[in-house]
Amino acid sequence: MAVHRGEFNSRLGFILAAAGSAVGLGNIWKFPFEVGAGGGAAFVVMYLIFCFLLCFPVMVAEIAIGRKTRRNPVGAFKALKTPNWSFIGKLGILSGFLILSFYNVVAAWAFGFFIEMLVGNFAIGSEFGNFIKDWLKVGIFGLLFMSMTAYIVSHGVQRGIERAAKFLMPSLIIIMVVLLIYSLSLEGAIDGLRFYLIPDFSKINGQVIYSALGQAFFSLSLGMGALITYGSYLNKNQDIVGSAVMITLMDVGIAFLAGLMLFPLVFSQGIEPNGGAGLVFVTLPGVFENLGPNMGVVVGSLFFLLLSFAALTSTVSLLEVPVSYVVDEHKVPRTRAVWLTAGLIFVIGIPSLLSQGANGFFSNFIEIIGLAREGMTDYSFLEFIQWVANDTFLPFGGMMISIYAAYIWKKENLTEELAHGNKNYAGSNMEKFINFAITYLAPSVLAVIFVLTVLNRFFGIDSIA
Ligand code: TRP
């Protein structure tokens, strides 16, 4: 391979970049409203089980395949002399296109809210419905956001992200802890905690399972080869399993913290937790207002600024996947590849942008194509893409990666790769667990849920009551 590939400078650099990819809108925007829609703590329990038992092993396999081959998700399967399996990478690239197309729209909301907080417009929370309908404004923020993403990716992942992630993530955690302490002091906080922490297992149904699984893959950036790509920049003496443990704990920890902070606020303000995609945006501005005009502006704008940065380290990883593919496989110069791909994805995101709000184009998309379900609050095109990409493609990709690592690449080769940087891996309980998970657990569980998800989401059949 003539193309020079960069490397992460340090173990911390890789962990931060991968955690930067994982931690984003998925943790702070999507996780809480999915918990709200999925009946609270029961959803949280399902989500945690999926993260640790299914997603963590898939994460290890993805990083190992990337480091072994030093290629993008399509090239990786060719490099292992199994070109027929490169469809996994191609599906991943398609998923990346779809996810980034809507993700950028939500990132634009976050960035827009940063500006609103900066000028002290706390009323924007209750006007969220109108805010997202203003497609011109959101579109301009979206264009700006996609351009920032493209700018960073064009300078190479290592230099671009390693530095940014180093101080942004700790700052985000600090501000969330401050908000958490405040939220716990409010009247009604206890009801929020009860909703969030005490599971009512009768709330578990098909919808909860499919969304919790999709959320687990989405939040950890798995199932589309993003971590194959990041793994390809990792050097041989770093410990993949140890890094994957850190990344998983960090991502799950931040999502959990976001919920812990938010639900007391939601309940103390009497907001409906089942309200859909606006939950964080509707809830927080009122809280910032109560902090007083000066504190409110400082804390509120800082929060949404940090949220925007968290989104940026995620959009970077989403864009990096197709870019590394066209750079490696089609020998397109990096800068051109970046701007063409980013432009195309922005265009694909236009329906998601226009689908917002009661009278937005496609706003009743799911209803129009006949897939609406009882109790649904969000019928938009943006929601539809999440069904397709997050809830269907990502777990399917994860299943294929497990099957590939266990049966095609073979466990011995996986173990050999993982032993680089971790002398004690071979023969450890961790090895036994990972091998069991990718050989039996993940393929079977993901296959069953995949079939049920497709039946439910696209044929309207509810197999689990
Ligand atoms: N994990 C990110 C979030 O939670 C989103 C994301 C970034 C992603 N890269 C990904 C999701 C790759 C799936 C695959 O916000």
Side-chain angles (χ1 to χ4, degrees):
M1 183 99 304
V3 184
H4 172 73
R5 296 181 70 82
E7 259 189 14
F8 287 107
N9 290 324
S10 61
R11 172 171 141 107
L12 193 64
F14 170 74
I15 293 179
L16 284 173
S21 161
V23 175
L25 296 167
N27 306 60
I28 292 161
W29 159 71
K30 193 160 159 61
F31 177 72
F33 87 73
E34 292 287 356
V35 172
F43 180 98
V44 179
V45 172
M46 293 305 301
Y47 166 79
L48 292 175
I49 292 175
F50 289 144
C51 283
F52 291 114
L53 292 187
L54 300 178
C55 293
F56 166 73
V58 172
M59 179 186 288
V60 169
E62 273 201 31
I63 301 173
I65 291 172
R67 187 173 71 177
K68 173 74 190 173
T69 59
R70 303 224 164 277
R71 295 281 204 95
N72 65 86
V74 174
F77 295 97
K78 295 185 188 156
L80 291 171
K81 305 213 166 45
T82 49
N84 289 340
W85 289 80
S86 61
F87 76 89
I88 300 176
K90 291 192 179 133
L91 184 70
I93 288 168
L94 176 64
S95 310
F97 266 71
L98 295 178
I99 292 175
L100 185 50
S101 78
F102 80 76
Y103 200 93
N104 190 60
V105 173
V106 182
W109 299 348
F111 191 74
F113 265 55
F114 159 61
I115 308 278
E116 300 289 349
M117 293 300 107
L118 210 53
V119 298
N121 181 15
F122 300 112
I124 196 69
S126 45
E127 287 160 16
F128 177 72
N130 291 325
F131 174 87
I132 56 177
K133 252 198 281 185
D134 190 344
W135 58 266
L136 189 59
K137 189 157 110 188
V138 178
I140 290 170
F141 288 145
L143 203 55
L144 194 71
F145 207 87
M146 190 62 95
S147 308
M148 290 192 283
T149 306
Y151 179 82
I152 295 178
V153 173
S154 70
H155 286 77
V157 170
Q158 307 75 23
R159 268 182 297 163
I161 322 176
E162 254 186 83
R163 272 193 246 140
K166 254 177 207 164
F167 83 102
L168 294 172
M169 202 130 34
S171 317
L172 183 65
I173 295 176
I174 292 171
I175 198 164
M176 288 204 322
V177 170
V178 171
L179 288 172
L180 169 65
I181 294 168
Y182 171 78
S183 82
L184 292 179
S185 75
L186 297 173
E187 203 177 325
I190 193 75
D191 296 324
L193 288 182
R194 209 172 277 135
F195 176 80
Y196 186 56
L197 297 175
I198 302 179
D200 169 0
F201 289 109
S202 70
K203 295 243 173 79
I204 293 185
N205 56 29
Q207 299 292 328
V208 171
I209 294 173
Y210 316 140
S211 317
L213 184 67
Q215 175 62 21
F217 273 90
F218 177 73
S219 183
L220 291 164
S221 300
L222 290 177
M224 56 158 272
L227 291 179
I228 294 182
T229 309
Y230 275 23
S232 76
Y233 306 120
L234 184 62
N235 79 41
K236 280 280 184 202
N237 34 33
Q238 298 188 20
D239 175 9
I240 291 181
V241 175
S243 305
V245 169
M246 295 281 293
I247 296 160
T248 306
L249 288 177
M250 228 184 292
D251 186 63
V252 171
I254 291 181
F256 189 77
L257 183 62
L260 207 55
M261 163 197 100
L262 199 69
F263 283 103
L265 299 172
V266 167
F267 277 74
S268 70
Q269 292 182 41
I271 291 172
E272 178 54 57
N274 191 9
L279 193 60
V280 168
F281 293 99
V282 172
T283 307
L284 288 178
V287 176
F288 298 134
E289 184 168 27
N290 290 340
L291 298 178
N294 298 328
M295 271 298 269
V297 167
V298 173
V299 179
S301 52
L302 199 59
F303 177 85
F304 282 108
L305 183 65
L306 288 169
L307 181 59
S308 304
F309 275 118
L312 191 59
T313 51
S314 300
T315 53
V316 160
S317 77
L318 285 161
L319 185 59
E320 176 64 20
V321 174
V323 166
S324 71
Y325 165 69
V326 280
V327 170
D328 285 358
E329 305 299 309
H330 297 288
K331 308 281 181 281
V332 179
R334 190 166 184 94
T335 310
R336 191 186 309 164
V338 166
W339 291 96
L340 284 178
T341 320
L344 185 59
I345 295 175
F346 181 80
V347 172
I348 297 175
I350 289 176
S352 294
L353 171 67
L354 298 182
S355 73
Q356 298 307 306
N359 306 317
F361 299 103
F362 311 107
S363 69
N364 294 324
F365 189 78
I366 290 175
E367 202 173 21
I368 291 166
I369 60 175
L371 293 173
R373 304 267 181 292
E374 216 180 307
M376 274 189 57
T377 51
D378 188 346
Y379 292 98
S380 72
F381 188 77
L382 196 151
E383 178 73 0
F384 179 70
I385 298 266
Q386 296 183 61
W387 284 12
V388 175
N390 302 8
D391 296 357
T392 313
F393 287 1
L394 295 181
F396 179 79
M399 172 179 85
M400 285 299 166
I401 288 164
S402 301
I403 293 175
Y404 180 82
Y407 298 97
I408 310 295
W409 189 31
K410 301 260 190 292
K411 284 171 282 193
E412 306 83 74
N413 293 315
L414 175 65
T415 297
E416 189 194 317
E417 183 60 33
L418 295 176
H420 289 293
N422 183 341
K423 294 276 161 301
N424 306 322
Y425 180 70
S428 66
N429 285 332
M430 186 58 105
E431 185 200 8
K432 291 194 190 89
F433 165 67
I434 288 176
N435 284 348
F436 172 74
I438 61 169
T439 313
Y440 304 108
L441 195 63
S444 56
V445 175
L446 292 176
V448 171
I449 301 183
F450 173 73
V451 172
L452 296 179
T453 304
V454 171
L455 286 177
N456 174 266
R457 298 292 201 222
F458 307 106
F459 296 94
I461 301 168
D462 261 319
S463 323
I464 305 175

